[in-house]
């Protein structure tokens, strides 16, 4: 029906156009990460830097510690959880990360494709604390990785990291399920948070984790 519509959405989509556009914007970045052969890719919406749960200088540290078969690492939603603690570590600060060359560009066409994390280069000049108003509050040394394996009804997908494996997985899920939905609720709530009935091991649709500097008293005293 798309050619007949000349690029316009059907009348029934009035009021939903921004959700469709948002989904397509994320899908474009997913495919771009595969085309460029990135091992890990950080994807941010326009307000991504303002909502980060961890500073950009720790992205490589998180990538190095995630399990090889991960699909998504959520980089916003500051609170701990929602699943069990996977790992905890001391992260490098912004200056150390920049000096080591672990922060590279992907949004501006300079993705490295060498296993290090690609992020848009402007983050190097950003405050190294989520929500900070122009002042770096380094050092924030202790960081946690939790499983994101429950449907928390969270809205907002401003910042996240995906693996090379994620792209093939997510395309399969879209085709298998007959489409996607509002990208944040669909990815965080359904794909990350719900069990996949077709999996013999009882796992979720995707294997997702959450990056945070907050510890949950229930799982990490």
């Amino acid at each position: 029906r798309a050619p007949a519509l000349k690029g316009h959405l059907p009348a029934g989509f009035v009021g939903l156009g921004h959700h469709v556009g948002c989904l397509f914007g994320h899908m474009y970045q997913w495919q771009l990460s595969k085309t460029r052969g990135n091992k890990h890719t950080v994807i941010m919406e326009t307000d991504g830097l303002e909502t980060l749960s961890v500073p950009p200088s720790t992205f490589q540290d998180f990538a190095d510690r995630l399990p090889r078969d991960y699909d998504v690492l959520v980089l916003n939603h500051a609170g701990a959880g929602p699943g069990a603690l996977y790992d905890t570590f001391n992260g490098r600060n912004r200056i150390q990360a920049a000096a080591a060359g672990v922060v590279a560009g992907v949004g501006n066409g300079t993705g490295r494709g060498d296993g290090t994390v690609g992020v848009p280069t402007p983050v190097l000049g950003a405050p190294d604390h989520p929500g900070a108003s122009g002042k770096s509050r380094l050092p924030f040394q202790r960081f946690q990785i939790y499983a994101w394996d429950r449907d928390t009804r969270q809205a907002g997908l401003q910042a996240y990291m995906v693996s090379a494996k994620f792209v093939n997985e997510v395309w399969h899920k879209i085709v298998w399920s007959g489409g996607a939905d509002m990208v944040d609720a669909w990815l965080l709530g359904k794909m990350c948070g719900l069990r996949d009935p077709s999996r013999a091991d009882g796992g979720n649709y995707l294997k997702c984790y959450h990056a945070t500097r907050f510890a949950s008293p229930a799982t990490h005293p």
Side-chain angles (χ1 to χ4, degrees):
R1 293 196 305 163
L5 292 169
K6 298 181 180 180
H8 296 283
L9 292 170
F13 277 76
V14 173
L16 296 176
H18 65 291
H19 293 297
V20 176
C22 185
L23 172 62
F24 284 1
H26 283 262
M27 291 171 69
Y28 178 88
Q29 297 300 325
W30 301 342
Q31 185 60 43
L32 186 62
S33 70
K34 180 178 180 180
T35 301
R36 290 182 172 172
N38 292 344
K39 185 175 180 181
H40 311 279
T41 301
V42 172
I43 299 171
M44 290 190 190
E45 295 183 346
T46 54
D47 57 347
L49 285 173
E50 302 170 10
T51 63
L52 288 175
S53 55
V54 294
S57 57
T58 61
F59 289 174
Q60 188 65 55
D61 296 307
F62 280 98
D64 291 342
R65 287 165 173 79
L66 287 166
R68 292 180 180 272
D69 62 344
Y70 94 98
D71 292 300
V72 177
L73 176 68
V74 181
L75 295 171
N76 61 329
H77 298 297
L85 181 69
Y86 173 77
D87 194 11
T88 181
F89 64 92
N90 289 325
R92 289 172 286 196
N93 68 38
R94 173 168 55 89
I95 296 173
Q96 291 172 329
V102 298
V103 180
V106 67
N108 58 3
T110 58
R112 295 167 61 151
D114 60 358
T116 56
V117 175
V119 297
T121 49
V123 300
L124 287 175
D128 216 3
H129 169 56
S133 57
K135 294 184 179 180
S136 177
R137 302 180 187 178
L138 292 171
F140 289 108
Q141 295 297 318
R142 202 69 181 168
F143 299 95
Q144 278 71 232
I145 302 174
Y146 289 89
W148 189 290
D149 55 3
R150 305 172 194 173
D151 182 5
T152 62
R153 308 292 179 181
Q154 289 277 14
L157 190 60
Q158 293 93 336
Y160 60 108
M161 182 188 299
V162 298
S163 66
K165 155 180 156 341
F166 163 82
V167 181
N168 289 334
E169 289 283 340
V170 79
W171 290 150
H172 172 74
K173 304 304 181 189
I174 290 174
V175 173
W176 178 83
S177 62
D181 204 327
M182 297 178 187
V183 65
D184 51 355
W186 180 79
L187 189 63
L188 296 180
K190 182 176 181 180
M191 294 295 102
C192 291
L194 298 181
R195 302 296 177 189
D196 182 351
S198 69
R199 290 185 53 164
D201 62 0
N204 288 13
Y205 290 99
L206 294 175
K207 193 166 186 176
C208 306
Y209 294 86
H210 183 222
T212 183
R213 57 187 180 87
F214 292 98
S216 169
T219 56
H220 183 61

